[in-house]
């Protein structure tokens, strides 16, 4: 999706098992000031469902192709959540000429040395009793959280029922690549960067502090009461922080909390 317009370009990247649709409210909050682009990352949404290459470099290559192809190489303000934050960070590390500022929501670079974590995620998605007969059936299984709402809104309708727009084994492989540590790239990153964490997100206080400590100059903001999916359940604070940073001085973002 491309909002068009003459404003500075912003590219939004969703997280694992998501799609560009869950970032539409964020895009709408920015559209009066920026040209906003959203994409479905490979293996997700309406992108290639079973891509042959799920390395992190392939995800980065897709972002580079969009910036070079759609924006003709104009530097972009790159924003990502979770896995999308990891893709955004690696894009800035690989092609700093294409990213003029960076926002990472609930993202990290430390990786995870527990291979079972990727397997657990894959097993969870494989446990979905698909196809769901209807939205009510999907909601009975997935729940009523904002994240569940996003998943349900993105289900693909077929004659047999409702299916997710991703495959569990692809999700497992994709997130396993994110679990490799990337401290060297982080410590050498030159792009002005804001990291945003949720009070009830997936990272400990020590992990949050380490990310900033190991890259002096990194700005940080926190969203009270929100979860890992703070773009959904902490939207007002998230959009305020994001607009302030993208529209203001990259060295002095606003913060909540």
């Amino acid at each position: 999706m491309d909002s068009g317009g003459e404003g500075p370009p912003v590219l939004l990247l969703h997280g694992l098992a998501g799609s560009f649709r869950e970032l539409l409210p964020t895009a709408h909050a920015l559209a009066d000031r920026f040209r906003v682009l959203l994409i479905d990352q490979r293996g997700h949404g309406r992108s290639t469902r079973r891509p042959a290459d799920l390395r992190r470099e392939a995800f980065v290559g897709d972002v580079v192709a969009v910036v070079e192809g759609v924006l003709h190489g104009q530097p972009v303000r790159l924003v990502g959540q979770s896995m999308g934050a990891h893709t955004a960070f690696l894009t800035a590390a690989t092609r700093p000429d294409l990213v003029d500022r960076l926002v990472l929501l609930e993202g990290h670079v430390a990786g995870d040395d527990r291979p079972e974590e990727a397997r657990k995620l894959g097993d969870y998605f494989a446990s979905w009793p698909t196809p769901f007969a209807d939205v009510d059936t999907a909601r009975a299984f997935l729940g009523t959280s904002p994240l569940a709402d996003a998943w349900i809104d993105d289900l693909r309708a077929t004659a047999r029922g409702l299916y997710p727009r991703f495959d569990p084994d692809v999700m497992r492989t994709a997130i396993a690549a994110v679990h490799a540590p990337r401290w060297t790239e982080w410590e050498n990153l030159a792009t002005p960067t804001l990291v945003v964490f949720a009070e009830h997100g997936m990272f400990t206080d020590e992990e949050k502090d380490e990310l900033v400590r190991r890259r002096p100059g990194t700005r940080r903001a926190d969203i009270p009461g929100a979860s890992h999916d703070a773009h959904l359940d902490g939207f007002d604070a998230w959009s305020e922080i994001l607009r302030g940073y993208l529209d203001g001085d990259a060295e002095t973002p606003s913060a909540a909390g």
Side-chain angles (χ1 to χ4, degrees):
M1 190 199 92
D2 183 349
S3 72
E6 300 297 324
V10 177
L11 177 58
L12 306 178
L13 299 176
H14 62 80
L16 185 77
S19 79
F20 84 87
R21 288 173 57 89
E22 70 187 58
L23 288 167
L24 283 172
T26 299
H28 293 153
L30 299 174
D32 63 329
R33 178 67 182 84
F34 301 96
R35 177 182 178 182
V36 186
L37 291 86
L38 302 99
I39 64 172
D40 284 334
Q41 296 185 81
R42 56 178 54 208
H44 295 75
R46 292 157 181 79
S47 186
T48 304
R49 187 176 182 108
R50 300 192 62 83
D53 190 349
L54 288 166
R55 295 174 302 145
R56 294 274 72 214
E57 292 80 4
F59 284 80
V60 168
D62 293 338
V63 176
V64 170
V66 170
V67 177
E68 291 186 331
V70 178
L71 299 174
H72 309 293
Q74 179 183 0
V76 68
R77 301 173 189 203
L78 192 52
V79 180
Q81 186 264 340
S82 193
M83 183 195 75
H86 198 268
T87 303
F89 143 65
L90 287 179
T91 302
T94 303
R95 291 294 305 271
D97 58 308
L98 297 181
V99 184
D100 63 12
R101 67 181 74 179
L102 182 65
V103 181
L104 311 181
L105 173 61
E106 279 288 299
H108 214 288
V109 308
D112 194 321
D113 60 2
R114 300 167 295 172
E116 68 273 12
E117 293 304 307
R119 177 183 55 78
K120 288 178 182 178
L121 276 171
D123 289 348
Y124 168 67
F125 293 128
S127 76
W128 291 17
T130 55
F132 296 112
D134 50 35
V135 168
D136 289 341
T137 304
R139 191 169 302 284
F141 180 81
L142 296 172
T144 58
S145 69
L147 178 59
D149 289 342
W151 278 332
I152 291 168
D153 288 344
D154 209 35
L155 291 171
R156 178 173 61 90
T158 75
R160 296 184 59 194
L162 304 175
Y163 287 89
R165 295 183 183 273
F166 55 82
D167 288 333
D169 61 320
V170 173
M171 298 300 97
R172 182 178 64 245
T173 301
I175 200 61
V178 174
H179 287 173
R182 296 282 191 163
W183 285 117
T184 299
E185 293 97 325
W186 176 249
E187 290 167 354
N188 291 322
L189 184 68
T191 306
T193 300
L194 169 67
V195 297
V196 184
F197 291 113
E199 181 181 6
H200 304 300
M202 67 181 298
F203 303 108
T204 67
D205 289 340
E206 291 76 16
E207 289 169 331
K208 297 173 186 178
D209 292 342
E210 183 181 20
L211 191 67
V212 176
R213 176 179 59 79
R214 292 183 65 161
R215 184 181 176 273
T218 301
R219 310 303 300 171
R220 172 177 168 181
D222 294 88
I223 301 179
S227 75
H228 183 62
D229 299 289
H231 61 300
L232 301 175
D233 61 22
F235 177 76
D236 290 344
W238 158 242
S239 58
E240 180 182 358
I241 289 168
L242 183 61
R243 280 182 62 97
Y245 185 66
L246 295 181
D247 204 22
D249 183 349
E251 301 305 319
T252 55
S254 60

